[in-house]
Each structure stands twice: as structure tokens, then as C-alpha cells.
Amino acid sequence: MDTDESGTIDLDELRKLLESLDIQFSDDEVCALFSKLDEDGSGSIDREEFSVWFEGAFGSALEDSSRVFSTIVERRTVHAFEEGSAVPDAILRKAVTAATAAPNHRMTEPWRFTSLGPNAVAQVAALNAKDVEKEDARVAKEARWKAVPGWVVVTCGKEAEGVVVGEGAKRRFLEDYAATCCAIQNFQLVMWAEGVGVKWTTGDVTRSPEFLEICGIDGDMEEVVGCLWYGYAKGGLEAMSDVPRKKALRDVLRYVE
């Protein structure tokens, strides 16, 4: 770090030090950092001044990295929600914004998000329960669905601009479907970080013509990837139990030389 053994760090040494740490700064940024760290205006930085900045800047980065990792590995499917506790629309919009940042080949952005209000939810709940023979069981099933605080139906476009027919179209759809699944995961992670639980459902009812009609979805143009239930978890997210993985890392990670 102190290549000339002067006991301090000059501008050129700071530049080389940042390069050795693979920190990409322009010349102007290096100069600005040097001026900031040279608090006494001596024209050099002592080791303590640099250490305080480095530990603060990279300690914060490591903390952020740890928080992201924890959100990913701790997220769980939430099955039971607090009734009557609506999630603010601002959180929904934030989650959808993050969802649309998912990777997608050729920037097709194939996803669409349909938020269902009380009337649509009531119709879907009734549709889902209509084949239950016993009235009390049918009423109970319908009530359970109607009690879910938030509903978003996520679809993937079936036709992308410029797609060739045949095998090319099939491949593009598979790519778009995969991208939409990535978008749903982004949605779930942001919701979890905001203290909101999500359940990703793919029941038969979501593929019925009646469901599509209720949601205003053209089945010829869009494929339902999932119906997302969301809300505040009963007992809070911290009460969610760990789900043991069926496979260890060695079972899913393969190295080929």
C-alpha cells in the first residue's frame, strides 16, 4: 500500500491500491476520493484515514450482501394470512417494479401482472368451489379464498414481436416463460423483504376459460404462469418454520473440467 515507505499514501499509491483491489474508479473519482480522505489537507493520506474509509465502505457492502443472501434463503411460501390487513399498493408497485428487472432474452419483457379486486376475487372463489358437493364444505372453501388479502395473476405473452414460426416460436416462448418465473421470484423476494408473505399457486382453476374471462385475460395471447396470493403472514414472517432441503449442495452442484 505504502510503496515508498513514507508512512502515508499519495495520490498515485491510492490509484494503484484501488486497482489492486479491483475497485474501478475513474481518474476524477480517485482524485475526489483522495481529497475527501486527506482531511488535514497535507497532500497525503495516513493509514488510519484510509482504513476508516475502507472498513466503513466495504463493511456496508458486506452487510448489504449478507442481507440479500438472507432474504433469498429465508423466504418461505406463506399459506395463512392475517385477515383484513391489506398490503399498501405502494408495496405491490415496488414488488412489480423489481419483478420487471428480471433477465429476459432479447428484452421481450413478456410478463403481465393483473391485480384482482374484491369483485373478481369473489367470482374466482365461487368458481373454485362450485364443484364441491356438500354446501357447508363449498361455502367454507369459497370463504377461505375470499379471505386472502391480495391477488395478482401473472401471465406470459404467447406471441413476441418478430418471432419466427415453428420451432423458433416454441423456443422463444420457453425463454419468455422462464423469464416470467424469474420475475415472480423477484416479486416474492421484495414482498418478503417488506414483511409480506406470498403463495404462488398454479391450480387447475387458473387455466380455465372462466378464470381467464374473470381476469380479463385473452388466453390466445397470454399464458397464466401463476396466481400470487399475498398478505401479512399469521404470526409474522419470523414465525415461519424452516423447510429442510431434500438435496444437499453436493447433489445439485456439478463441476466439469
Side-chain angles (χ1 to χ4, degrees):
M1 184 165 65
D2 177 18
T3 56
D4 61 5
E5 299 183 349
S6 64
T8 59
I9 304 170
D10 61 27
L11 179 60
D12 187 54
E13 288 173 331
L14 177 62
R15 181 180 290 107
K16 291 177 180 177
L17 175 59
L18 293 174
E19 289 175 356
S20 71
L21 294 171
D22 199 27
I23 301 174
Q24 305 299 318
F25 274 16
S26 67
D27 287 342
D28 288 344
E29 289 171 331
V30 173
C31 290
L33 176 60
F34 186 86
S35 297
K36 173 181 173 62
L37 298 181
D38 182 19
E39 295 180 351
D40 56 9
S42 63
S44 62
I45 305 167
D46 64 41
R47 295 187 181 190
E48 183 178 352
E49 288 172 329
F50 178 81
S51 296
V52 169
W53 170 78
F54 184 82
E55 291 171 6
F58 286 86
S60 176
L62 288 173
E63 184 179 335
D64 289 344
S65 174
S66 177
R67 188 180 302 115
V68 170
F69 180 80
S70 295
T71 299
I72 293 172
V73 299
E74 291 173 5
R75 186 207 65 79
R76 297 287 181 268
T77 296
V78 172
H79 299 279
F81 304 95
E82 294 286 356
E83 294 185 21
S85 55
V87 175
D89 192 59
I91 293 180
L92 170 62
R93 297 176 70 86
K94 184 177 181 179
V96 173
T97 298
T100 61
N104 55 108
H105 199 196
R106 296 187 177 88
M107 289 298 292
T108 55
E109 299 180 317
W111 40 67
R112 293 294 181 270
F113 300 82
T114 302
S115 177
L116 303 187
N119 182 54
V121 169
Q123 293 182 65
V124 172
L127 174 65
N128 182 62
K130 70 180 180 65
D131 293 330
V132 178
E133 293 184 3
K134 294 184 178 180
E135 183 178 357
D136 55 345
R138 182 174 65 253
V139 171
K141 186 173 185 178
E142 186 174 340
R144 282 197 303 272
W145 278 41
K146 289 171 68 175
V148 175
W151 291 61
V152 169
V153 179
V154 185
T155 55
C156 169
K158 289 184 176 179
E159 295 185 12
E161 186 177 350
V163 172
V164 295
V165 297
E167 200 61 31
K170 179 182 178 180
R171 183 169 60 251
R172 174 68 68 85
F173 174 72
L174 290 175
E175 291 174 349
D176 286 348
Y177 193 95
T180 305
C181 291
C182 292
I184 290 176
Q185 176 69 342
N186 281 6
F187 180 98
Q188 293 185 112
L189 291 173
V190 169
M191 283 294 196
W192 185 273
E194 293 289 336
V196 179
V198 179
K199 180 173 182 177
W200 178 357
T201 67
T202 56
D204 290 341
V205 69
T206 64
R207 289 180 290 277
S208 69
E210 296 90 345
F211 178 84
L212 298 179
E213 183 177 358
I214 292 169
C215 299
I217 295 170
D218 183 347
D220 292 330
M221 300 299 293
E222 298 176 51
E223 180 82 12
V224 174
V225 182
C227 181
L228 307 182
W229 293 349
Y230 66 93
Y232 295 105
K234 279 190 175 179
L237 297 181
E238 62 277 3
M240 299 293 297
S241 58
D242 253 352
V243 178
R245 299 296 170 186
K246 296 180 179 179
K247 296 181 179 180
L249 187 60
R250 65 177 177 274
D251 298 322
V252 298
L253 176 60
R254 177 168 52 204
Y255 293 95
V256 178
E257 295 187 6

